[in-house]
Every structure is written in C-alpha cells, then in structure tokens.
Amino acid sequence: MRIVMLGGPGAGKGTHAEYMSERLGVPHVASGDILREEVASGTDLGKKAKSYMERGLLVPDDLVEEIIARRLSRPDAEGGFILDGFPRTLEQARWLDGFLRGNGWGLEVVVNLVVPDWKIIRRLAYRRICRNCGAIYNLITMPPKREGVCDKCGGELYQRDDDREEVVRERLRVYRRQTAPLVAYYRRRGLLVNVFDLGEEDVRSEEVLEAAISKAEGRSEARGEG
Ligand code: AMP
C-alpha cells in the first residue's frame, strides 16, 4: 500500500499513520519528523529548514523533496509506505508523481482528514510528544498515566514550539493557502477518500484504516483486478 495522509495541522495524520503503519507493515514516513531530526542534528539542511519551521511556514520544496527521495529510496519503503505531511504543495505533489513513476510505483489512496478548527486548536495546544519514542499524547483526551512521562518507554514528554497558539493559527493559514488545493488534485485522479472527524469524540484509527482499505479495493476492482 502506498498511502498519502492529507489534512491540516493537528488533523491526526501522525496518530493514524502510525497505527496504519503497524497494521499494514509498511513504514510511516513523516516529513515533519525527519525535518525535526535534521534540525536537532544541526545538519546543513536542518539549519536551512529551522527558521521556516519556527514560524509555521513551509520549508522550500527542494529541501523537503530531497529528504523524501532519500527516505523512500531505503529498502524498507519498497513494499509501500504511509506519507504523513508530504506532499504539502502542488509542486511537491507533481514531484511525487514523477518520483513514484520513476520507480514504477503509484499511489493507492489519499486519505483526507476533515477536522474543524476548534478541534485542531484544542488538540495542538494540549499535545505532548515523547522525546524518546515519538508517541503522541493529549492532556485532555489521551493523558499519560504519569504527568510528563511516556507510558510506552518512560521518555520525557514535551510540547513542540510550533504548537503555540499563534504559530498554530499561521499553520492553519498556510494549510488553506498552499495545501488545501491538493484535495481537488487527488479527487480528480480518483484517489481521494474523505474521513470526517467533526464531533466531540475523535475518529478512531481503525475507521481511518478501513476507509483507506475499502477505497483501495474499490479502485482495484474498478480496474478489473479485484
Ligand atoms: P508537521 O510535523 O507535519 O506538522 O511539520 C512541521 C513543520 O515542518 C511544518 O510546519 C513545516 O514548517 C515543515 N514541513 C513538514 N513537512 C513539510 C512539507 N511537505 N513541505 C514543507 N514544509 C514541511
């Protein structure tokens, strides 16, 4: 399965992608995580990316394309992957099409998570992440058993700098301007499945996985492979 997760900041891409990656046995490739690693290790690319990330702006396409090309060229991505946070611009989407075609690959499905702003702001303001294993918590809806400590590995929980409210609002503006057009791009290609996460209760990752699988099956039947 080759899947793209679309949706605004805090839409739940990372949480659902992680679950799907375990269930499907394909790597979860998160452009934001890779960029944060580059920043933390102080690489040239990380130094260039840092100032954009701090302001909630998109890192230039060529830098992100470089890290994605590198990551998808590793052997574990041969059997599929779940892309989270990439592509985020039409240029990146076109680049990805070319990159996949060059490997004889294509996307099976694009999952679009539709989440209202009030939920996004609540989620991000209370989001905490494990410094060690990357597990994601929410102080309201999914608190850790011990404050500040990861249930899974005992690592320290922290808040991302760009989860502060003013930066979140900028990220929402950037999403609407630069990333939202990808919804129409993938819909036209017949790849899109919407998952609506509109209520008080969050959509479960199993439901997202089921939506992705039934879309992919529907597409392969339509092509006469089913
Ligand atoms: P994320 O963890 O996906 O929310 O990404 C965090 C930040 O990394 C974003 O606000 C951007 O500054 C940068 N970033 C991640 N993915 C991309 C991308 N595909 N294109 C440009 N910038 C990105």
Side-chain angles (χ1 to χ4, degrees):
M1 284 278 253
R2 295 188 181 86
I3 301 177
V4 162
M5 303 294 288
L6 268 188
K13 299 186 296 290
T15 306
H16 299 311
E18 190 57 36
Y19 172 86
M20 290 162 70
S21 145
E22 280 169 26
R23 286 284 305 273
L24 297 171
V26 295
H28 167 202
V29 176
S31 50
D33 288 351
I34 305 176
L35 286 168
R36 278 184 289 280
E37 282 164 24
E38 296 276 337
V39 172
S41 340
T43 63
D44 283 346
L45 196 150
K47 283 180 195 141
K48 288 184 200 148
K50 189 166 184 252
S51 67
Y52 297 96
M53 296 172 73
E54 280 169 350
R55 286 177 288 157
L57 301 177
L58 293 187
V59 171
D61 292 325
D62 55 332
L63 296 184
V64 190
E65 288 161 9
E66 181 185 327
I67 59 163
I68 292 293
R70 219 190 294 150
R71 179 63 189 87
L72 296 187
S73 302
R74 278 169 42 188
D76 66 338
E78 265 168 31
F81 46 76
I82 300 176
L83 273 176
D84 154 16
F86 185 92
R88 254 176 161 103
T89 62
L90 278 172
E91 146 65 35
Q92 291 176 15
R94 293 191 186 108
W95 174 89
L96 180 65
D97 285 341
F99 178 85
L100 296 177
R101 217 177 302 121
N103 283 287
W105 296 339
L107 292 174
E108 259 89 50
V109 52
V110 175
V111 176
N112 181 37
L113 298 165
V114 183
V115 185
D117 284 5
W118 64 265
K119 247 183 137 167
I120 287 181
I121 290 169
R122 183 178 75 179
R123 251 183 216 164
L124 295 186
Y126 293 99
R127 174 160 75 177
R128 297 294 181 274
I129 301 167
C130 175
R131 239 181 239 296
N132 182 47
C133 75
I136 301 168
Y137 296 86
N138 184 285
L139 298 185
I140 297 181
T141 55
M142 223 222 305
K145 293 200 184 77
R146 269 182 58 208
E147 198 185 317
V149 180
C150 178
D151 293 348
K152 294 186 185 151
C153 76
E156 180 203 358
L157 303 184
Y158 77 105
Q159 180 176 37
R160 274 170 50 174
D161 289 340
D162 60 352
D163 280 349
R164 285 174 295 121
E165 185 163 338
E166 68 277 17
V167 186
V168 168
R169 292 196 185 277
E170 181 60 24
R171 288 162 67 200
L172 279 167
R173 279 192 289 273
V174 165
Y175 170 76
R176 289 207 179 89
R177 207 167 44 230
Q178 293 178 275
T179 309
L182 296 185
V183 173
Y185 177 83
Y186 286 122
R187 187 187 296 120
R188 276 198 299 274
R189 311 250 312 266
L191 288 168
L192 196 81
V193 60
N194 285 310
V195 174
F196 295 96
D197 187 359
L198 305 175
E200 191 60 41
E201 188 122 332
D202 288 345
V203 87
R204 288 176 301 114
S205 292
E206 299 94 273
E207 297 171 56
V208 181
L209 176 62
E210 275 162 28
I213 290 175
S214 56
K215 176 73 186 177
E217 283 174 355
R219 292 191 61 244
S220 71
E221 270 164 30
R223 289 196 304 263
E225 298 164 12

